[in-house]
Amino acid sequence: MKRKKVGLDASKKAVRAQLSGEGLRPKKGLGQNFLTDESVLCDIVEAAQLTEDSCVLEIGPGMGALTRHLAQRAKKVVAVEIDTAILPVLEKNLTGFSNVTVINRDILKLQLEDLFSECFGKEQVKVIANLPYYITTPIIMKLLAEKRLSSIVIMIQREVAERLAAGPGTKNYGALSLAVQYRAQVRPVRDVSPEAFHPVPKVWSSVIALSLLKEPPVAVLDEAHFFHLIHGAFSQRRKTFINSAGSYPPLCSSKEHIKSVLQKLGISENIRGESLSLEQFAQISNEMVRGKL
């Protein structure tokens, strides 16, 4: 397999010059902030723990700075880029790498299982990405539903990263925290200054690693009900769990029923959703489901 040394100048000056040379500007509508800090690129690759046998899906390669690092380490890289205009720059920067395939599509509209089978056969897949802030959560939830993934290393807005790793009783703890921790182990890698990008965003970013679990850490009888319960608990965050979940239509449960379940489990009826652990949500959901059987 022919591989070229990384050797791409990803400095702000070089990024601006290459974009200008192609008559391009970063698109705010696509959340384009190009990473220009070599140390962050290296830390992302290191966190992904790539080997020569690794199959990688990169989301939003942009100008290819990270893609080149990935191609140097992995067996095969599939880079999905939505911006047609940036493709000439990306393809020029990937010259010499025979193990990279660029796909010009919207990641949210792709059937990932079909993509994985076509590009990687039956191999497990690692996802690595610098995600646009405006679609971070939909992409994360789409990825977590895929059975073929072994790990995800992403750079996202620091506030969102804090939510993914948050525990009960903290201000950042919520439905996203529970949904992610139900399917993955969360490991913060590093924070990234706005100055590491061109153009410079208004907020800090964070690199976070998710190791996908073969089995959830808690057993639930009905996953749909379990997640309805979680969303219901945080639909009115300032209210008690009973009042918030009891007013959430998809649950189809009365406040009286939820109160009786909490009493049976020895949980205070005045508790709020933000104070309930993943295990407690599973216990409550299972008890409510059993009551309907």
Side-chain angles (χ1 to χ4, degrees), residues 4-17:
K4 202 172 182 179
K5 291 184 178 179
V6 175
L8 175 69
D9 186 355
S11 67
K12 289 186 179 181
K13 181 178 180 180
V15 168
R16 285 195 293 263

Side-chain angles (χ1 to χ4, degrees), residues 211-238:
S211 297
L212 279 296
L213 300 169
K214 293 183 179 179
E215 296 291 338
V218 295
V220 297
L221 297 175
D222 184 334
E223 280 196 357
H225 182 276
F226 174 67
F227 285 110
H228 282 322
L229 184 69
I230 289 172
H231 287 292
F234 292 97
S235 61
Q236 301 179 72
R237 194 179 181 100
R238 294 186 178 182

Side-chain angles (χ1 to χ4, degrees), residues 11-30:
S11 67
K12 289 186 179 181
K13 181 178 180 180
V15 168
R16 285 195 293 263
Q18 193 168 26
L19 288 174
S20 177
E22 296 289 340
L24 299 174
R25 292 183 178 181
K27 296 179 180 178
K28 292 183 179 180
L30 294 179

